[in-house]
Amino acid sequence: MTAPQQATDTGELSAVLARILTEVGPSAGQAGRVADYIPALSAVDPATFGFAATDLTGHTIGVGEWEIPFSIQSVSKVFSLALVLSIEGDQLWRRVGREPSGNPFNSLVQLEHESGIPRNPLINAGALVVTDRLLTLTGDARGAVRDFLRAESGDDRVDFDAAVARSEAEHGDRNAALAHLMASYGNLENPVAAVLEHYFWQCSIAMSCRDLALAGSFLARHGVRADGSRLLSRSEAKRVNSVMLTCGAYDAAGEFAYRVGLPGKSGVGGGILAVVPGRYSLCTWSPALDERGNSVAGVAALDHFTTLTGLSVF
């Protein structure tokens, strides 16, 4: 077998994605299970598979079901984090840490042990703090995230899925417990009910692999938005990418870094956003999840991508 070559043009990248579709696509749904603890997500076909790649100019190609919208869930946390950092910089880090959790993404035990300061912004407790701060700064946290995603993807159809938001609210007791616990430590500024509402609706946003890859490409461009304006400084974009690498796959972040070697953020809707800084923004979607909440086929596809192209941060 020859050494992997770095993908540099559309034809080469298309061939890589076609090979991933052939080698990974048929296995989608054969292992893992959909997130049935959120009833509105339970009806999604576990065998679905899509993959999209966007370069720094916004040119996007994909394979499989790459243009079908799905619930982005926790992938949205990357964008709320970036928006808060863009407004007030490092002040957020007084209220949330930057370390991997090593525990389930909704652990109450860890949160109480650390006196209401979440371990990082990509677990549920940390994301609730980010949503809380974004609500204070903008008055409409969920709308700010949706509008940003619309602008960066160039797709005004990007919107909330009301059925998913309601389903999450009806089965969101653990998130409510996390929020109340943080409020008891003084780490929420807004009423718990308001923070939860904005958080559930933010997570319900539906996007395709195409749109999500486009929306995340500001991280590949070191903080520069699709219109050429700067959202984050180069240093801030580096820090978001580093948090994604170390914390983006819940308590399987080490395994994700080992297999994929890219900053990434997964969601229980089956999506994974990954970044090749200076080159590409990638999005995979396959709803069957492993026991830690990460897409089985999505991780395999990204593993194939970095192996075939030789592109990683290592």
Side-chain angles (χ1 to χ4, degrees):
M1 180 177 177
T2 58
Q5 300 296 311
Q6 291 199 350
T8 57
D9 58 44
T10 299
E12 194 172 358
L13 187 60
S14 295
V16 168
L17 297 193
R19 182 170 172 183
I20 291 171
L21 179 63
T22 299
E23 296 181 357
V24 177
S27 68
Q30 294 183 9
R33 56 186 296 178
V34 297
D36 53 7
Y37 62 90
I38 300 175
L41 299 181
S42 63
V44 181
D45 181 1
T48 305
F49 177 80
F51 195 129
T54 296
D55 67 16
L56 300 185
T57 71
H59 177 65
T60 308
I61 61 174
V63 293
E65 287 86 6
W66 69 294
E67 295 184 287
I68 296 176
F70 61 92
S71 182
I72 68 172
Q73 292 294 310
S74 288
V75 181
S76 66
K77 297 172 182 177
V78 171
F79 301 100
S80 57
L81 173 62
L83 287 172
V84 170
L85 293 176
S86 75
I87 297 170
E88 65 174 9
D90 286 346
Q91 293 184 48
L92 176 68
W93 303 121
R94 301 172 184 172
R95 297 177 55 195
V96 61
R98 299 185 294 270
E99 294 296 329
S101 66
N103 284 292
F105 58 83
N106 56 3
S107 173
L108 284 158
V109 174
Q110 183 176 66
L111 184 61
E112 183 167 23
H113 178 70
E114 297 178 343
S115 302
I117 303 295
R119 183 64 67 91
N120 67 69
L122 301 183
I123 55 175
N124 288 18
L128 286 165
V129 170
V130 174
T131 295
D132 175 59
R133 190 61 189 147
L134 188 59
L135 181 56
T136 296
L137 292 169
T138 67
D140 182 11
R142 65 183 183 182
V145 174
R146 181 198 60 186
D147 293 349
F148 178 80
L149 293 171
R150 284 179 172 179
E152 295 308 291
S153 67
D155 188 350
D156 287 338
R157 297 170 299 175
V158 169
D159 212 341
F160 310 109
D161 185 322
V164 172
R166 286 194 297 267
S167 186
E168 292 199 63
E170 290 167 0
H171 297 82
D173 292 336
R174 179 60 69 96
N175 285 316
L178 291 168
H180 281 291
L181 183 57
M182 289 188 293
S184 76
Y185 282 104
N187 200 18
L188 285 186
E189 299 170 327
N190 296 282
V192 167
V195 175
L196 290 170
E197 179 183 8
H198 282 265
Y199 176 73
F200 291 143
W201 281 84
Q202 168 193 307
C203 289
S204 80
I205 292 172
M207 301 178 74
S208 65
C209 290
R210 172 197 174 276
D211 287 343
L212 202 46
L214 280 164
S217 60
F218 74 97
L219 291 170
R221 291 190 294 267
H222 306 295
V224 176
R225 297 185 61 169
D227 64 3
S229 64
R230 181 167 287 281
L231 178 74
L232 301 175
S233 70
R234 191 180 183 97
S235 179
E236 289 168 335
K238 176 196 72 176
R239 290 169 180 166
V240 173
N241 280 329
S242 68
V243 170
M244 289 172 67
L245 178 69
T246 58
C247 308
Y250 308 122
D251 54 332
E255 178 69 12
F256 187 85
Y258 176 80
R259 289 187 61 185
V260 176
L262 294 174
K265 181 70 196 87
S266 61
V268 296
I272 304 175
L273 173 68
V275 180
V276 186
R279 298 297 294 273
Y280 298 114
S281 173
L282 312 171
C283 181
T284 66
W285 173 46
S286 187
L289 312 177
D290 63 22
E291 66 279 3
R292 291 173 172 174
N294 300 308
S295 170
V296 176
V299 173
L302 291 167
D303 183 1
H304 271 54
F305 180 87
T306 53
T307 299
L308 291 170
T309 63
L311 295 171
S312 82
V313 296
F314 302 109

